[in-house]
Amino acid sequence: MADRPYLWLLPVALLLGAFYVVPVADVVRLSFSDATLLRPADSFGLQSWSVTLGADGLGGILWNTAEFTLLSVLGLQLAGLGVALLLARGDRRGLRGMTVLRTVVLAAWVIPGIANGLIWQMLFSEAPFGAVNSTLALMGLPRVAWLSDPGNAMLSAVIANIWQGTAFSMIVFYAARSAIGPRLYEAAEVDGAGAGAQFLYITLPQMKGAILVNSVIVTIQTLNTFDSILALTGGGPGRATEVLSLHIFNLVFTNFDLAGGSVLALVLVAISTVLTLIYIAVLAARR
Amino acid sequence: MFLTRAATLTTVTALAVPVSAQDLITRSRVGPEDAESSMSFRLTAYDLYSSDPEMKAAFEELFTDFITARPGWKIETQIATDNINQEQARLLEQARAGRGPDCAMIDSSQLATFKNAGVLTPMNAHFSDAQVADLFPYVRDAVTDADGDLLAWWWFTDLRVLYRDASVIPDAPQTWEAAQQAGLASVEEGYEGLLFSAGRWEGTTFDWLGNYWAQGGRLVDDAGRPVFGEGENREKFLNAVRYYKGLVESGAAPGRVTTISGYDAMNAAAAAGSAALFVGGNWQYDQLRKTLPEDTFANWEVSELPGPTADQRATGTGGWTIGALSDDPDKVRMCAEMIQEIYSGEGNAVQGLLPTSAAQYEEYDAFEGPQFDLFAEALENGQARPGAPVYPEISNQIQILMGDVLSGAAEPEAALDQAFEASLAAYDRL
């Protein structure tokens, strides 16, 4: 049996083929066609690629995507690391309520993206009764155009994404922090190292692998995020918060452009694949 | 003893009737589960499955009567989501692949796409010529094809109007200039000014289009090609955009209009007492009546959307249609009968949704009142969205344009050029 592994792998290959390879192959086929949601493909060629990639607004959308992804990934790393270190410290000191804190952070993670967008839409509402602005006004601070100002709208979308995704980073970092041997910290204390030095010279180097892996995973997650932005701003004002995944959604379901949507879906897959290869390379290097 | 038995029997009967009614209507079915024949029906969540208990109960009664009169039949219901574009695109895709429901609600703005795709089965045999003749002209044109086949039934229509708190703004603004003055006056009184939709959703385009149509502008030509960015249309389009831009720049409307992507925002502002003037749909009149205290609601009045001049008026008319997607004559008949017995007429009256034929306004008491006189009058200037497959993308581009212009990210001329170019590109692809 050992010399004939393909027989055993066949069921898995068939299952993966049916549910993953066939749909992806169909997207590749559609990307070279002139198919719309209103009629099937009549001809095949490179035209949909040239038209879609040469579209005027695509540069702005890719810039939005890069901005949203970069800010989100930075925020997710910092917030996740902060909460994880807080939890680890709490555990070490035997503080009560650490499990509750973990659960509260995780609660945001299980909320669907659409609900997340709606929650933040209410919080960021610029109506006189908007929650965040009303709080700012009570504190004597000026009101902020959270969603109507194109620059602020992107920041608001990033905040909503960080709020929801922090839990995942927290889990990764908490696991990595828990794996660091306490003797390292004990030895550092004996040598007179303060909290800052311990963080810089023990915690961060020991968690380097987890930080790299988490970076790649949350980048891919963020690249695919569109539901929370759809509910929060719809991509507006104008196109200020329209990221690639939301643009694909609009292209297919508003413009009915199945071929163009397929082209951009493959672009997104390509970006995600490159990041996945980095992820694999990082894992291999760690071994 | 007799009294005890009678009381028991009464109690059992009273308990049995609702249980039976509940059994007939579930989240995915109307009628007995084991019925021999079935028709699938995709519907929105605003009637039979409404979150409003009164509405739900009224439609449950209508559906129960309907299905009880047709032994051996059941309706398998499928609830459509709120995302109209996505939902309708999916429905069309399913219908083209032969996997669609037998009968479905189709948004009036998407009806032309379904007609062009050839997925609708004519229902001529089930509606009289007189019924079709009594439809408003724009409705009749939309639901019939060149051969005179009735491909769907437009069961309710709606329109956009201007709501105002008459205690703040006593006279209805008739022109764009008067609307700006009214907005500024309300701001001086501590209100937000004139509210309207300018976020990324269909309402932004549709509510605004009346300003463009009032000047005689056209979005597409007879072949369905976008024409709004060329010739005389270009200037009319820019005039209407500048009207909105002027409202925001002058402070007559708040900058937050670019975040408004739903009519609930207007209702909420009215309920919070922060709005005294907004562009909304006719159906909001009833919502305001239910939301606001009686004495506050008494101050609210509706009027036609202001025009560039008092004589130039237009308003967008929408609504929903129901079409048969099945080739089975029995299911087409079932679909047509459901339209006539549940939705068209009775359903309009229950929901307060505007009927599409003049006779129905006389038939039901529900349509009595000064607001219905105003709606009927404004419908004279009603205009439906063009039945062109490229319309959803034109709408999308206008939403982008409006956000860019009102947030100061683009000038009207450049934004229009971009929107027009993108719409033409979409037209070429389709």
Side-chain angles (χ1 to χ4, degrees):
Chain A
M1 285 293 170
D3 58 343
R4 274 190 276 172
Y6 298 111
L7 192 65
W8 297 100
L9 289 172
L10 192 63
V12 177
L14 285 175
L15 206 67
L16 288 175
F19 289 102
Y20 292 97
V21 179
V22 171
V24 171
D26 202 38
V27 170
V28 173
R29 181 185 69 85
L30 286 169
S31 76
F32 289 103
S33 74
D34 62 348
T36 72
L37 219 50
L38 310 178
R39 57 172 170 72
D42 286 333
S43 62
F44 291 86
L46 288 170
Q47 203 192 353
S48 59
W49 280 85
S50 62
V51 169
T52 308
L53 296 182
D56 270 351
L58 188 61
I61 283 156
L62 289 175
W63 173 255
N64 287 344
T65 310
E67 193 182 359
F68 177 71
T69 307
L70 188 70
L71 291 175
S72 291
V73 171
L74 276 174
L76 286 166
Q77 300 275 41
L78 290 174
L81 188 62
V83 177
L85 294 180
L86 196 73
L87 283 170
R89 197 175 179 84
D91 283 345
R92 217 168 42 247
R93 292 189 167 192
L95 293 181
R96 285 185 178 181
M98 287 299 106
T99 309
V100 174
L101 183 59
R102 266 198 301 270
T103 311
V104 168
V105 177
L106 281 170
W109 194 36
V110 298
I111 288 175
I114 290 283
N116 178 42
L118 291 174
I119 289 168
W120 283 96
Q121 191 189 46
M122 283 188 275
L123 291 172
F124 285 139
S125 169
E126 293 170 36
F129 43 85
V132 176
N133 273 346
S134 297
T135 310
L136 290 176
L138 278 175
M139 295 161 67
L141 296 169
R143 291 174 174 273
V144 178
W146 293 105
L147 302 173
S148 64
D149 179 274
N152 291 347
M154 178 55 84
L155 191 65
S156 304
V158 169
I159 291 172
N161 192 44
I162 291 171
W163 180 77
Q164 189 179 26
T166 293
F168 179 82
S169 300
M170 182 268 285
I171 293 169
V172 173
F173 291 142
Y174 181 66
R177 174 62 186 81
S178 302
I180 302 174
R183 286 184 183 174
L184 286 173
Y185 292 99
E186 288 165 13
E189 274 179 27
V190 170
D191 289 343
Q198 287 181 28
F199 176 72
L200 279 177
Y201 298 111
I202 299 175
T203 310
L204 273 186
Q206 291 291 318
M207 291 178 69
K208 196 172 69 181
I211 292 169
L212 278 171
V213 169
N214 191 55
S215 299
V216 178
I217 292 176
V218 296
T219 302
I220 293 169
Q221 281 176 349
T222 306
L223 277 171
N224 287 302
T225 297
F226 85 100
D227 43 4
S228 61
I229 301 180
L230 182 69
L232 181 68
T233 63
R239 270 191 160 147
T241 55
E242 190 166 336
V243 294
L244 188 56
S245 51
L246 181 56
H247 183 60
I248 294 169
F249 175 85
N250 285 334
L251 204 58
V252 174
F253 290 109
T254 303
N255 202 345
F256 302 142
D257 187 0
L258 205 51
S262 300
V263 168
L264 292 181
L266 289 174
V267 169
L268 194 59
V269 168
I271 295 170
S272 300
T273 305
V274 168
L275 293 168
T276 306
L277 290 174
I278 294 171
Y279 172 57
I280 292 168
V282 167
L283 280 182
R286 287 187 72 199
R287 286 188 192 124
Chain B
M1 185 69 178
F2 174 76
L3 281 174
T4 312
R5 274 189 183 174
T8 308
L9 192 62
T10 308
T11 309
V12 167
T13 311
L15 286 172
V17 170
V19 167
S20 165
Q22 280 167 9
D23 284 348
L24 272 181
I25 298 176
T26 70
R27 202 65 185 162
S28 59
R29 171 176 47 80
V30 171
E33 192 175 7
D34 55 355
E36 291 168 13
S37 308
S38 116
M39 174 191 76
S40 53
F41 175 43
R42 189 166 301 171
L43 71 169
T44 55
Y46 305 120
D47 40 70
L48 181 63
Y49 298 115
S50 169
S51 55
D52 177 351
E54 274 183 47
M55 187 78 68
K56 188 171 185 286
F59 271 91
E60 278 182 351
E61 195 180 331
L62 287 169
F63 268 96
T64 303
D65 290 348
F66 179 77
I67 208 69
T68 308
R70 287 161 182 80
W73 275 92
K74 65 178 172 185
I75 301 171
E76 288 172 301
T77 53
Q78 306 168 357
I79 305 175
T81 65
D82 276 352
N83 192 328
I84 295 173
N85 267 345
Q86 184 188 357
E87 189 63 53
Q88 298 283 286
R90 188 184 297 136
L91 175 64
L92 181 64
E93 192 187 4
Q94 290 172 335
R96 280 180 44 223
R99 292 182 284 106
D102 300 316
C103 182
M105 286 194 182
I106 299 166
D107 184 31
S108 59
S109 70
Q110 310 269 344
L111 183 60
T113 310
F114 282 76
K115 281 168 68 178
N116 292 340
V119 295
L120 297 168
T121 307
M123 296 192 286
N124 304 31
H126 310 290
F127 289 87
S128 69
D129 290 345
Q131 279 178 297
V132 177
D134 196 41
L135 291 170
F136 291 137
Y138 70 89
V139 172
R140 193 166 52 243
D141 289 347
V143 296
T144 52
D145 64 9
D147 300 327
D149 282 333
L150 179 70
L151 295 178
W153 190 259
W154 193 329
W155 69 278
F156 82 87
T157 188
D158 55 34
L159 73 155
R160 277 75 200 146
V161 286
L162 185 71
Y163 286 82
R164 76 182 196 286
D165 182 337
S167 69
V168 181
I169 302 150
D171 300 318
Q174 305 295 324
T175 63
W176 292 349
E177 197 183 338
Q180 185 165 322
Q181 294 308 317
L184 288 169
S186 76
V187 171
E188 277 177 24
E189 295 287 326
Y191 293 90
E192 284 195 85
L194 174 53
L195 296 183
F196 53 85
S197 288
R200 286 286 298 269
W201 80 302
E202 169 62 15
T204 291
T205 299
F206 199 20
D207 295 356
W208 169 83
L209 275 174
N211 299 302
Y212 175 56
W213 286 330
Q215 305 166 77
R218 293 190 69 188
L219 286 177
V220 297
D221 63 15
D222 292 339
R225 179 184 174 277
V227 292
F228 62 88
E230 59 192 21
E232 290 179 355
N233 290 317
R234 181 182 167 81
E235 202 47 43
K236 290 170 182 169
F237 194 99
L238 287 171
N239 287 340
V241 173
R242 288 184 191 121
Y243 159 51
Y244 264 23
K245 187 171 187 269
L247 288 172
V248 174
E249 283 185 349
S250 67
R256 82 168 179 105
V257 291
T258 57
T259 70
I260 296 180
S261 51
Y263 296 108
D264 288 347
M266 278 67 149
N267 290 346
S274 68
L277 195 64
F278 68 84
V279 175
N282 64 287
W283 61 92
Q284 284 178 272
Y285 189 87
D286 205 41
Q287 292 172 349
L288 285 182
R289 187 175 56 78
K290 288 176 180 170
T291 308
L292 302 178
E294 203 172 324
D295 55 336
T296 309
F297 176 69
N299 293 328
W300 282 87
E301 291 184 11
V302 285
S303 58
E304 272 195 82
L305 291 181
T309 67
D311 297 332
Q312 292 175 291
R313 303 296 189 94
T315 184
T317 52
W320 282 79
T321 72
I322 298 176
L325 302 166
S326 169
D327 292 330
D328 183 335
D330 288 337
K331 292 180 178 177
V332 175
R333 177 178 51 78
M334 187 79 169
C335 182
E337 288 175 358
M338 182 184 70
I339 294 167
Q340 302 197 59
E341 292 182 34
I342 296 176
Y343 286 100
S344 182
E346 287 289 344
N348 294 110
V350 167
Q351 290 189 296
L353 296 172
L354 303 179
T356 52
S357 78
Q360 286 174 325
Y361 283 87
E362 305 298 324
E363 196 178 335
Y364 295 95
D365 295 341
F367 303 113
E368 281 180 9
Q371 74 275 22
F372 288 107
D373 295 339
L374 180 278
F375 296 152
E377 193 183 323
L379 275 174
E380 296 291 325
N381 296 319
Q383 192 152 341
R385 285 161 286 187
V390 75
Y391 173 76
E393 179 57 13
I394 292 177
S395 170
N396 184 40
Q397 290 300 327
I398 292 176
Q399 293 161 38
I400 293 167
L401 172 152
M402 210 57 83
D404 281 341
V405 169
L406 300 185
S407 66
E411 286 302 315
E413 292 80 4
L416 171 57
D417 289 341
Q418 205 167 10
F420 186 53
E421 204 175 302
S423 300
L424 284 175
Y427 172 75
D428 288 340
R429 276 198 298 277
L430 291 169

